Amino acid sequence: MSDAEATTTYPSAISRLGIGTWQLGGPNYVGDKPTGWGAVNEKEAVRAIQQALDEGVRFIDTADSYGAGQAETLVGQALAGHHQSASLAVEICTKFGNRRDASGQPTQDYSPTYLTEAVDASLRRLQRDTLDILLLHSPPDAFDWSVYDPAPFEALIRAGKIKSYGVSSRSVYGARRVMEAGFGSVLEVIYNALDRRAETVLWDDPAATAYRFIARVPLASGFLKATYLEQDPVFPTDQYRHYLPDRDRQWLLDSARQLAFLNELEGGISAAAVRFCLSHPAISVVIPGVRSEEQVSSHSRAVRLGPLPNEITERIKVAVPDVPSHWKPA
């Protein structure tokens, strides 16, 4: 099937494209190391979000820990300042659970007390009355769901503060445990052309039909980028990617280069990466990160081009058969 055929025969609605805002949280240092994407121009960030709305995007993913609320604040400003925001049905997905303790050290807290505090704070920053989706943010894969009570989340639904809840999983193996426990109705999982484990670990399980899936990291942490097909990346010291383990960095770079044929498609390799995610019917929405209007345009172009032809997705699987063994449970 040609690209043209894929565009005309598959329902590639803009509703399946969202935007991620981790990039808008700034360096977000923990100790002396950043956990974010470096310095951000706040005016550019607001313009990028508003352009996404103009191009039909109606799903925004964020988290209270992205820049200690900075990303949520920018999303709220962008929505409040958009000329049509009041009439747009924009779905907001945010996450909670990563905070600082009394001494300023990072900790994870999914308690009912912090849940209530976090929701109220997110609503204020986002300038919203209701959160469409609330997710636990990267709980440990071994989290004991058998003793975690969903009642406080159900109470927030009855109070009108959230509409649904679930988990943004650290890995697909953690997500599988969420499905086995039947917690919530939304799962945000890693899925991209290099890391396709969700297909077998999650979507082959009948329990997956009870969940809405959000694809995160669709550009493989930015390694699915035309520039890196020929040049080695040099990441600023205020970006978390600067501190990636050498073996992970090299595998991502080498594997991305195995997919150089995607850069020959209209829109290039980055658009093809988004199209790859749209090619799987289990994906409800894909959330590539944005920090500029140019990136928004690239992502929306990918949606217009539609899912990849089957022969291209099969070629991807041959070129990069699997992830490194050390990414899997022992």
Side-chain angles (χ1 to χ4, degrees), residues 59-315:
F59 189 101
I60 301 176
D61 177 85
T62 189
D64 61 2
S65 62
Y66 295 165
Q70 176 174 297
E72 287 185 332
T73 298
L74 291 173
V75 171
Q77 291 174 358
L79 290 170
H82 191 270
H83 64 287
Q84 289 184 320
S85 65
S87 62
L88 302 179
V90 180
E91 212 173 359
I92 300 295
C93 172
T94 195
K95 302 180 280 292
F96 87 103
N98 293 306
R99 65 173 183 85
R100 302 295 179 98
D101 63 19
S103 64
Q105 295 302 305
T107 187
Q108 290 191 305
D109 185 350
Y110 304 106
S111 67
T113 299
Y114 184 63
L115 165 65
T116 302
E117 293 175 5
V119 167
D120 287 342
S122 289
L123 288 170
R124 286 194 299 271
R125 287 188 291 264
L126 291 162
Q127 303 182 47
R128 307 277 286 193
D129 296 322
T130 304
L131 300 174
D132 298 284
I133 303 172
L134 178 68
L135 305 177
L136 279 75
H137 199 177
S138 298
D141 282 348
F143 194 86
D144 189 354
W145 296 103
S146 68
V147 298
Y148 191 66
D149 188 2
F153 295 87
E154 297 293 339
L156 287 170
I157 291 176
R158 291 193 297 273
K161 291 190 174 184
I162 68 172
K163 293 182 180 179
S164 59
Y165 62 92
V167 178
S168 177
S169 64
R170 187 170 298 187
S171 80
V172 291
Y173 307 107
R176 181 170 60 192
R177 288 175 59 90
V178 176
M179 288 198 323
E180 290 169 351
F183 180 84
S185 61
V186 183
L187 277 169
E188 187 172 289
V189 299
I190 294 173
Y191 183 64
N192 57 60
L194 302 182
D195 187 347
R196 305 178 301 275
R197 286 174 290 174
E199 294 177 359
T200 54
V201 175
L202 300 177
W203 300 329
D204 283 349
D205 188 329
T209 58
Y211 286 85
R212 181 183 183 188
F213 286 93
I214 303 166
R216 68 181 184 92
V217 202
L219 300 181
S221 298
F223 279 84
L224 292 172
K225 182 178 180 180
T227 306
Y228 302 152
L229 297 178
E230 298 180 354
Q231 300 176 22
D232 287 355
V234 178
F235 300 122
T237 57
D238 65 350
Q239 267 197 33
Y240 88 96
R241 293 186 297 177
H242 180 84
Y243 303 92
L244 285 172
D246 288 343
R247 63 177 180 173
D248 291 338
R249 173 192 174 108
Q250 197 59 50
W251 183 85
L252 286 163
L253 189 59
D254 291 344
S255 298
R257 289 172 175 172
Q258 291 297 313
L259 303 185
F261 61 87
L262 294 177
N263 208 43
E264 300 170 7
L265 301 177
E266 185 177 350
I269 190 170
S270 293
V274 174
R275 296 174 65 192
F276 172 81
C277 294
L278 295 172
S279 301
H280 202 292
I283 294 298
S284 171
V285 62
V286 57
I287 50 169
V290 300
R291 59 193 299 161
S292 70
E293 293 168 282
E294 180 182 3
Q295 290 174 333
V296 171
S297 295
S298 173
H299 300 331
S300 60
R301 184 183 187 189
V303 174
R304 291 194 297 272
L305 290 168
L308 291 175
N310 289 337
E311 62 265 26
I312 297 296
T313 58
E314 291 304 313
R315 190 175 173 187

